[in-house]
Amino acid sequence: QRIYKYFFPLGNMNLDMMREAAQKFVGDHDYRNFCKMDISGGVTNFKRRISSFIINPLDTGPSSPYQMYEMTISGQAFLWHQVRCMAGILFLIGNNLEKPELIDHMLDVE
């Protein structure tokens, strides 16, 4: 089991929408659209299992745009830049630039 953490300021992002979208990553999926391709490294299997994806504040102080949050992602293995790419998509969703359904489409590689 590996655990990655990604820290960010909340700003004006929609936290509820980000949390809803993050749950779409949980489970066994082909994450080829959420990584930087490393064909020279011999990676041919892009299927990975994420067991949990949680977004929580770092402290319980008063809410402000500067409040820091953390994404905690647990899984068996990760692809190169996978967590960074997933966080980037969640930031687009949190800023209402994309809908959570985008993740469904990007995970549907067949």
Side-chain angles (χ1 to χ4, degrees):
Q1 186 80 353
R2 293 184 180 267
I3 298 174
Y4 276 85
K5 291 187 180 260
Y6 198 99
F7 301 91
F8 65 98
L10 183 60
N12 292 321
M13 290 189 278
N14 183 330
L15 185 60
D16 291 332
M17 196 175 298
M18 290 175 70
R19 285 179 169 152
E20 173 193 332
Q23 294 314 299
K24 295 177 177 290
F25 289 121
V26 175
D28 294 318
H29 300 289
D30 185 316
Y31 290 96
R32 74 181 67 220
N33 291 322
F34 295 95
C35 71
K36 190 165 185 178
M37 292 290 196
D38 184 19
I39 54 174
S40 65
V43 175
T44 57
N45 180 4
F46 300 96
K47 292 186 178 176
R48 300 291 186 269
R49 173 180 295 150
I50 291 182
S51 53
S52 69
F53 199 128
I54 301 166
I55 304 173
N56 282 326
L58 285 179
D59 59 51
T60 56
S63 181
S64 83
Y66 304 107
Q67 185 174 13
M68 292 298 292
Y69 276 72
E70 68 179 353
M71 296 180 191
T72 304
I73 305 104
S74 301
Q76 290 181 331
F78 294 90
L79 297 164
W80 191 32
H81 290 283
Q82 179 182 343
V83 172
R84 185 177 297 173
C85 291
M86 291 188 302
I89 294 295
L90 290 178
F91 294 151
L92 290 173
I93 291 168
N95 283 304
N96 294 311
L97 298 172
E98 291 290 351
K99 301 219 178 294
E101 294 77 29
L102 173 66
I103 294 172
D104 298 322
H105 295 295
M106 291 180 73
L107 288 173
D108 184 15
V109 295
E110 296 185 22

